[in-house]
């Protein structure tokens, strides 16, 4: 396109938008050592033509920042990220006193977290539907309220589909200005943590149900893991901290702690949580004995063992990648600073190792059961997800992960050993010869990923896929006992009567949570395309085993229950053979089931374990109340406030 003067006006679209943020939080800007590296820049991809343009708020395709402060009754003027004066300087400079910078920071860090998930999952991030709405209720945007609370809290609201950040006055013992205001929306770690809660809820909406000590702890631990590993995306901060600790990441520093300002402001005189433990057994400092994973019940405390295991594996990976560099560094005189070139090399390797491990952790979300997650199952999911994409583990990363879990007493059930090959999920052929050669069948409509980019279109397609799989499950004569066993459900006439039933037919009900296509690329050109199917079933649970037996036989009130018990499976269907035959169109007539990660609805031992957990104490009763399924509850508000 040209103007009347012949000057071209169809300028090329930039590759990215840049936003200035705090690399850690405002506290790091008060120290001469870290002030320079705390002013960081986040680059986000420019909006695609099919995405909603970025507007005031900021508001875009995934997020909408609404800055209303109910404590003071004020609406703060929204940031316009498209203003020329802001584009010219990568957005507003960091400022604790300017609400518009608060808006800019929460948007940039949340979008950065979303992009990390999408790259690892191989698909678009979708938010979970609101409770009480039909399954096809598409939620386009997650809302972010930077000044929602005047209290020491920040949380994700499943009902509101929003992130709510608080602010408060620091305690007298805090580092910095006594009685100064602390804004949780200015903590890089807290923003990433809360965004991860929302994404995880979109992937697995049953993970907020209290079924064991591990379930609530997993949500907290996983959010901490993402925030922690994202530290290693900020080059200057990584270089500065590595130079300070002389390349040794097993000592505590800014990179190993989470939410330093929040921790200081609440009297901890340090980070809110630390990834470095002592000898793999917890804190172990002072007069307190080391904590043990098996004895830890509080969700954050129990989750800290999973965080420590992942960080231990990361450091081991980093040390293996830099062993030759550190041998060269040892020739330096004791106490002498590392050469800047050496620091840059170490930082590059740390960033690669963190990125690799973060992708493993996120990909593993597709390899876990859809309900009742346990830490040992997450370990198996990590090992299997990595082996699927990268068969040749030359540097023994998977062994490093398994060893880190073993040192903390986190063991999966049903494995011969902690060797990586023993931790892989079994394929259907391996655990049931009668299912050898079974294919998923012509269940899901054709899907052309080359033209389907819109998140709403992807959501609509997923609903069609779910309906197709549900119809096959409930309206087919092919549902054999072998299929039921593989899926972890019961659909036959002999199924326990406590399984929820259709009011029309009286047949056992089954839920298809998601049917999503993922395309993942490995570092050496590997290409994996999978269909991820989540199937669950609900059963009424009773604290009294005799009452359970009577209800299973159909005696008593058909609506009575003490708690909800679920079973089901995650199926991973290999699509690669179909793609070769049908080019870009994914026709699933030969999509073979590669893994079936299941938890059976008729597993009475697991039912008893959940019964024992829920009756274990008043704290668990309180958790059960807050993490139930009634509308209006805010489980993370209670959990984070505690």
């Amino acid at each position: 396109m040209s103007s009347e003067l012949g000057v071209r006006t169809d300028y090329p679209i930039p590759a990215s938008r840049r936003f200035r943020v705090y690399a850690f939080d405002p506290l790091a800007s008060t120290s001469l050592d870290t002030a320079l590296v705390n002013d960081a820049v986040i680059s986000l991809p420019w909006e695609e033509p099919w995405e909603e343009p970025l507007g005031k708020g900021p508001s875009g395709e995934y997020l909408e920042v609404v800055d209303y402060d109910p404590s003071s009754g004020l609406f703060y003027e929204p940031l316009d990220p498209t203003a020329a004066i802001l584009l010219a300087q990568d957005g507003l400079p960091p400022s604790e006193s300017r609400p518009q910078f608060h808006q800019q920071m929460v948007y940039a860090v949340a979008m950065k977290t979303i992009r990390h998930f999408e790259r690892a999952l191989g698909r678009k991030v979708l938010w979970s539907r609101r409770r009480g709405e039909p399954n096809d209720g598409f939620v386009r945007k997650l809302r972010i309220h930077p000044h929602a609370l005047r209290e020491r809290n920040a949380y994700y609201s499943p009902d509101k589909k929003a992130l709510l950040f608080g602010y408060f006055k620091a305690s007298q013992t805090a580092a910095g200005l006594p009685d100064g205001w602390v804004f949780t929306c200015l903590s890089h770690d807290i923003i990433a943590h809360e965004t991860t809660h929302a994404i995880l809820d979109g992937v697995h909406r049953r993970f907020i149900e209290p079924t064991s000590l591990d379930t609530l702890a997993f949500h907290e631990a996983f959010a901490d893991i993402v925030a922690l590993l994202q530290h290693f995306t900020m080059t200057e901060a990584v270089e500065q901290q590595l130079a300070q600790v002389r390349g040794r990441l097993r000592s505590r520093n800014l990179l190993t702690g989470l939410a330093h300002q929040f921790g200081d402001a609440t009297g901890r005189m340090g980070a809110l949580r630390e990834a470095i433990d002592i000898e793999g057994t917890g804190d172990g400092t002072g007069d307190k004995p080391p904590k043990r994973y098996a004895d830890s019940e509080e969700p954050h405390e129990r989750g800290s063992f999973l965080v420590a295991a992942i960080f231990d594996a990361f450091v081991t990976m980093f040390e293996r990648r830099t062993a030759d560099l550190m041998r060269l560094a040892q020739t330096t005189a004791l106490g002498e600073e590392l050469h800047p070139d050496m620091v840059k090399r170490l930082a590059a390797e740390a960033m690669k190792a963190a990125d690799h491990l973060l992708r493993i952790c996120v990909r593993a979300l597709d390899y876990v059961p859809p309900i009742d997650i346990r830490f040992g199952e997450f370990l198996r999911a990590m090992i299997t997800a990595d082996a699927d994409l990268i068969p040749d583990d030359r540097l023994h990363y998977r062994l490093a992960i398994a060893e880190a879990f073993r040192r903390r007493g986190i063991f999966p059930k049903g494995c011969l050993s902690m060797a990586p090959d023993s931790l892989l999920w079994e394929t259907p052929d391996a655990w049931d010869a009668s299912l050898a050669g079974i294919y998923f069948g012509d269940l899901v409509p054709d899907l052309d990923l080359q033209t389907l980019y819109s998140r709403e279109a992807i959501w609509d397609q997923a609903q069609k896929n779910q309906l197709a799989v549900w119809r096959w499950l409930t309206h087919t004569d092919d549902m054999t006992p072998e299929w039921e066993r593989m899926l972890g459900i019961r659909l036959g006439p002999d199924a326990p009567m406590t399984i929820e039933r259709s009011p029309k037919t009286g047949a056992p009900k089954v839920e298809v949570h998601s049917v999503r296509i993922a395309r993942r690329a490995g570092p050496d050109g590997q290409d994996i395309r999978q269909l991820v199917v989540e199937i669950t079933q609900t059963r009424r649970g009773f604290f009294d085993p005799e009452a359970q037996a009577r209800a299973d036989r159909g005696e008593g009130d058909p609506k009575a229950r003490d708690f909800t018990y679920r079973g089901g499976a995650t199926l991973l269907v290999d699509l690669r053979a179909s793609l070769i035959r049908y080019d870009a169109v994914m026709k699933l007539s030969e999509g073979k089931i590669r893994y079936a990660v299941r938890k059976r609805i008729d597993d009475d031992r697991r039912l008893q374990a959940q019964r024992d957990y829920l009756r274990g104490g008043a704290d668990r009763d309180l958790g059960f109340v807050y993490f139930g399924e009634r509308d209006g509850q805010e489980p993370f508000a209670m959990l984070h406030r505690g």
Side-chain angles (χ1 to χ4, degrees):
M1 181 184 299
S2 303
S3 67
E4 295 180 357
L5 298 177
V7 179
R8 292 183 61 85
T9 58
D10 54 336
Y11 302 120
I13 296 176
S16 62
R17 291 185 185 273
R18 291 164 58 87
F19 296 96
R20 296 169 70 177
V21 299
Y22 287 119
F24 298 102
D25 53 40
L27 183 63
S29 292
T30 64
S31 168
L32 290 175
D33 291 336
T34 56
L36 290 178
V37 300
N38 198 40
D39 190 346
V41 174
I42 290 177
S43 294
L44 299 173
W46 200 272
E47 304 82 56
E48 298 288 355
W50 54 85
E51 293 182 330
E52 181 175 319
L54 188 63
K56 289 184 178 181
S59 176
E61 174 68 19
Y62 295 81
L63 304 171
E64 179 181 30
V65 179
V66 178
D67 202 357
Y68 173 66
D69 184 347
S71 297
S72 57
L74 293 176
F75 264 110
Y76 295 110
E77 182 181 352
L79 176 79
D80 183 4
T82 64
I85 195 170
L86 295 183
L87 289 173
Q89 56 179 324
D90 299 334
L92 290 170
S95 170
E96 293 182 80
S97 60
R98 189 188 294 271
Q100 289 71 33
F101 173 74
H102 299 195
Q103 301 162 14
Q104 174 178 296
M105 179 152 177
V106 292
Y107 179 84
V109 176
M111 279 304 306
K112 169 185 171 181
T113 307
I114 290 169
R115 296 303 186 186
H116 282 156
F117 271 84
E118 289 189 335
R119 186 179 58 172
L121 288 174
R123 61 177 182 271
K124 299 289 187 181
V125 161
L126 300 173
W127 310 119
S128 65
R129 64 179 178 84
R130 290 184 175 87
R131 294 180 184 179
E133 290 191 357
N135 287 332
D136 58 355
F138 174 63
V139 177
R140 178 178 297 280
K141 299 181 184 183
L142 180 75
R143 280 196 169 184
I144 303 181
H145 302 282
H147 307 102
L149 317 160
R150 190 172 290 184
E151 62 176 86
R152 299 175 179 182
N153 203 357
Y155 63 90
Y156 159 63
S157 169
D159 281 345
K160 296 183 177 69
K161 289 293 171 288
L163 306 183
L164 293 88
F165 293 92
Y167 64 97
F168 60 96
K169 282 193 174 183
S171 67
Q172 291 288 344
T173 59
L177 180 65
D179 294 326
W181 289 103
V182 174
F183 297 92
T184 61
C185 66
L186 295 182
S187 169
H188 204 124
D189 297 332
I190 294 176
I191 300 168
H193 179 104
E194 302 308 333
T195 306
T196 299
H197 278 311
I199 298 173
L200 185 54
D201 189 42
V203 177
H204 294 293
R205 63 187 178 95
R206 298 297 189 194
F207 276 16
I208 63 173
E209 297 179 350
T211 56
S212 74
L213 289 171
D214 278 1
T215 51
L216 302 185
F218 180 80
H219 236 289
E220 287 302 306
F222 192 83
D224 278 353
I225 289 166
V226 172
L228 187 70
L229 293 178
Q230 283 193 174
H231 285 175
F232 294 88
T233 62
M234 300 171 288
T235 304
E236 292 183 353
V238 174
E239 291 177 355
Q240 189 271 341
Q241 289 293 294
L242 280 174
Q244 182 173 304
V245 298
R246 293 179 54 79
R248 293 173 175 83
L249 283 175
R250 294 194 184 274
S251 58
R252 293 183 176 181
N253 57 82
L254 277 179
L255 298 174
T256 68
L258 291 169
H260 287 264
Q261 185 187 37
F262 189 97
D264 269 344
T266 52
R268 290 173 175 83
M269 304 306 293
L272 177 63
R273 287 189 286 278
E274 273 285 351
I276 296 291
D277 57 6
I278 305 299
E279 298 179 355
T281 57
D283 191 354
T285 59
D287 297 329
K288 296 181 180 180
K291 294 176 292 187
R292 298 174 63 246
Y293 161 70
D295 299 331
S296 301
E297 296 191 4
E298 195 277 326
H300 293 96
E301 180 179 281
R302 193 174 183 88
S304 69
F305 287 86
L306 179 58
V307 176
I310 297 297
F311 194 78
D312 185 6
F314 157 69
V315 175
T316 301
M317 294 164 62
F318 168 70
E319 290 171 345
R320 294 188 68 87
R321 296 180 70 102
T322 61
D324 56 340
L325 295 175
M326 293 307 294
R327 283 193 293 270
L328 292 173
Q330 289 174 1
T331 62
T332 304
L334 184 64
E336 186 176 332
E337 293 184 356
L338 293 177
H339 192 281
D341 291 343
M342 177 69 75
V343 171
K344 289 183 181 297
R345 286 289 310 279
L346 291 173
E349 295 299 334
M351 295 168 70
K352 289 178 183 177
D355 181 68
H356 185 104
L357 187 55
L358 179 58
R359 292 198 195 197
I360 293 175
C361 291
V362 173
R363 285 199 305 267
L365 294 178
D366 283 344
Y367 288 74
V368 295
I371 43 88
D372 194 25
I373 180 68
R374 308 295 176 91
F375 288 0
E377 293 163 347
F378 184 63
L379 168 61
R380 298 191 70 180
M382 292 177 67
I383 299 299
T384 308
D386 191 56
D388 250 12
L389 190 61
I390 308 174
D392 186 10
D393 186 20
R394 294 188 298 269
L395 294 178
H396 301 290
Y397 289 162
R398 294 193 280 273
L399 181 58
I401 295 170
E403 278 288 288
F405 276 70
R406 182 191 61 78
R407 282 194 289 269
R408 286 156 184 82
I410 304 175
F411 302 108
K413 294 182 179 180
C415 295
L416 293 176
S417 73
M418 290 291 283
D421 60 335
S422 296
L423 295 173
L424 297 172
W425 290 122
E426 302 89 349
T427 62
D429 295 357
W431 51 259
D432 196 328
S434 65
L435 290 174
I438 276 187
Y439 294 95
F440 204 63
D442 292 315
L443 302 178
V444 180
D446 293 348
L447 178 59
D448 186 352
L449 286 184
Q450 305 304 315
T451 59
L452 190 60
Y453 290 109
S454 163
R455 290 172 61 242
E456 188 167 8
I458 292 172
W459 173 274
D460 291 341
Q461 183 64 56
Q463 302 309 304
K464 295 176 183 177
N465 294 347
Q466 289 173 236
L467 181 60
V469 174
W470 179 83
R471 284 175 174 168
W472 170 72
L473 287 170
T474 57
H475 297 79
T476 182
D477 296 329
D478 299 331
M479 189 50 57
T480 64
E482 289 80 13
W483 269 108
E484 289 188 4
R485 191 163 75 87
M486 183 174 68
L487 298 178
I489 61 177
R490 296 285 297 278
L491 296 174
D494 59 340
M497 294 302 295
T498 47
I499 294 177
E500 289 190 351
R501 306 266 165 166
S502 168
K504 293 182 179 180
T505 65
K509 294 170 63 176
V510 63
E511 298 179 6
V512 180
H513 279 194
S514 67
V515 182
R516 298 174 180 173
I517 289 179
R519 178 177 181 179
R520 295 185 259 266
D524 298 323
Q526 302 93 330
D527 183 25
I528 291 185
R529 305 188 187 192
Q530 294 174 323
L531 189 73
V532 184
V533 183
E534 291 186 358
I535 297 168
T536 64
Q537 200 168 44
T538 301
R539 181 179 175 187
R540 292 179 291 123
F542 295 84
F543 290 132
D544 183 357
E546 293 184 3
Q548 184 77 56
R550 290 193 297 270
D552 286 340
R553 294 192 297 266
E555 302 173 10
D557 184 354
K559 295 183 179 180
R561 75 179 68 195
D562 292 327
F563 60 92
T564 296
Y565 175 77
R566 304 189 196 276
T570 298
L571 304 182
L572 289 107
V573 184
D574 194 341
L575 302 180
R576 286 175 292 184
S578 299
L579 286 175
I580 294 174
R581 177 172 295 186
Y582 295 100
D583 194 20
V585 178
M586 291 186 175
K587 187 172 178 60
L588 306 182
S589 59
E590 295 189 4
K592 185 176 180 181
I593 295 176
R594 184 162 175 80
Y595 302 105
V597 186
R598 72 192 190 282
K599 288 201 166 182
R600 296 174 58 178
I601 191 69
D602 55 2
D603 185 345
D604 289 332
R605 286 183 299 179
R606 190 168 64 85
L607 174 61
Q608 182 62 45
Q610 183 171 332
R611 183 182 292 133
D612 293 341
Y613 165 72
L614 293 176
R615 299 190 69 178
D619 57 332
R620 298 179 195 178
D621 292 339
L622 181 62
F624 182 64
V625 169
Y626 277 90
F627 283 80
E629 295 185 322
R630 293 173 298 176
D631 294 341
Q633 294 175 335
E634 296 293 357
F636 295 104
M638 184 274 292
L639 190 62
H640 288 184
R641 185 177 294 119

